[in-house]
Amino acid sequence: AVVDSGGPVARAIFPSRWGGAIEEDQVFLVAANMPADRASVAAHAYCAVDGVGERIPVEVLRPDLVPQLLTDMGTDQWQARSFLEESGLPQQLPADAAARREALATITALRCARPLPPGRDVALMWGAGIASTSGRAAGADQRFDFTVREPFSARFECSRVNPQAGCNPMRPARVRFTAPVAREQAAAARLRLADGREIAPTLSDADRLRQTLDSVEFKAPLPTDARAQLVLPGDIRDESG
């Protein structure tokens, strides 16, 4: 439990600690029980990467970015709804600009001052020295643990009799991406045969309705006794870029 010292205690954080892996340049929203002094957040909040001894400073972002970030989040995902509820904010923010600024005054947007290493555990620390605008300090450290996503990659999969055998041409093959990519880029994957022919993946009706895909399938039967090369668009990237 966090002792109430009269200072800004973090009540909610976005993204949620249970919401999956975070980005290397993740922006965090920290909702406190009162407005926090921005300079004290910059001085006393930090990121700690597992296995790295140094504290990584945070960059405190402009207050006017908070309403835009909340709008981008939307309220249709459980993380966003949970954050707003735990923050004590309504699901629909005030339309009046001044009222909206006042409602969001307790939320600080920040990120680690340099990109986080992929696949590593990291903690965002809301330090004991973070103070309110009136000078009251939080009084105790608060730690929020996350894991940074793995580097983006694509993996080819097919059915084999054993690990040393070739692909079974009577079973479909699949390309899986470690993060969702734009449907058009995923659909541009090809199996290029030795004679120059190319095989395109087959998208299901559900796939065609999605903006992003995390895999594509090459329908069976596939050519027998053939060598093929997986070819991906040169500019393929995941949805976060």
Side-chain angles (χ1 to χ4, degrees):
V2 178
V3 177
D4 185 0
S5 65
V9 173
R11 300 170 60 179
I13 188 166
F14 185 90
S16 164
R17 288 171 284 177
W18 302 278
I22 62 172
E23 304 290 337
E24 294 95 327
D25 58 351
Q26 182 70 53
V27 172
F28 300 95
L29 297 179
V30 181
N33 57 337
M34 64 184 67
D37 177 73
R38 290 169 52 80
S40 74
V41 174
H44 297 286
Y46 62 92
C47 300
V49 177
D50 184 42
V52 179
E54 68 175 310
R55 297 182 176 186
I56 301 175
V58 299
E59 176 187 359
V60 180
L61 304 179
R62 303 193 317 270
D64 61 342
L65 291 178
V66 173
Q68 182 60 54
L69 291 169
L70 288 171
T71 299
D72 292 344
M73 281 164 48
T75 56
D76 57 341
Q77 56 168 307
W78 70 267
Q79 281 201 72
R81 292 195 302 269
S82 177
F83 174 75
L84 291 171
E85 182 177 344
E86 292 176 15
S87 303
L89 294 172
Q91 296 291 320
Q92 294 295 327
L93 296 173
D96 178 72
R100 188 164 58 249
R101 280 196 303 272
E102 182 177 354
L104 299 178
T106 59
I107 298 179
T108 303
L110 52 83
R111 64 183 165 208
C112 306
R114 65 171 183 260
L116 299 168
R120 300 289 290 275
D121 292 331
V122 63
L124 174 64
M125 301 296 299
W126 186 259
I130 294 174
S132 66
T133 52
S134 62
R136 297 290 296 272
D141 289 338
Q142 290 178 269
R143 177 187 177 110
F144 302 95
D145 292 300
F146 302 91
T147 299
V148 185
R149 67 174 190 163
E150 296 290 342
F152 175 68
S153 64
R155 184 176 70 251
F156 179 77
E157 300 176 353
C158 66
S159 177
R160 305 172 189 264
V161 176
N162 61 64
Q164 287 73 42
C167 295
N168 181 351
M170 302 310 295
R171 302 287 299 170
R174 183 176 292 272
V175 175
R176 294 189 186 276
F177 306 103
T178 53
V181 301
R183 184 186 64 243
E184 293 78 8
Q185 287 196 318
R190 295 290 186 270
L191 291 181
R192 181 176 295 163
L193 304 177
D195 62 6
R197 288 182 298 150
E198 292 186 342
I199 302 173
T202 301
L203 301 188
S204 66
D205 290 340
D207 287 341
R208 296 179 189 281
L209 295 175
R210 297 188 178 104
Q211 295 300 313
T212 60
L213 298 174
D214 55 17
S215 67
V216 289
E217 184 175 275
F218 297 88
K219 293 289 188 183
L222 296 166
T224 59
D225 299 323
R227 298 186 67 85
Q229 177 186 16
L230 174 64
V231 180
L232 299 173
D235 60 347
I236 192 168
R237 63 189 65 192
D238 61 29
E239 62 182 341
S240 63

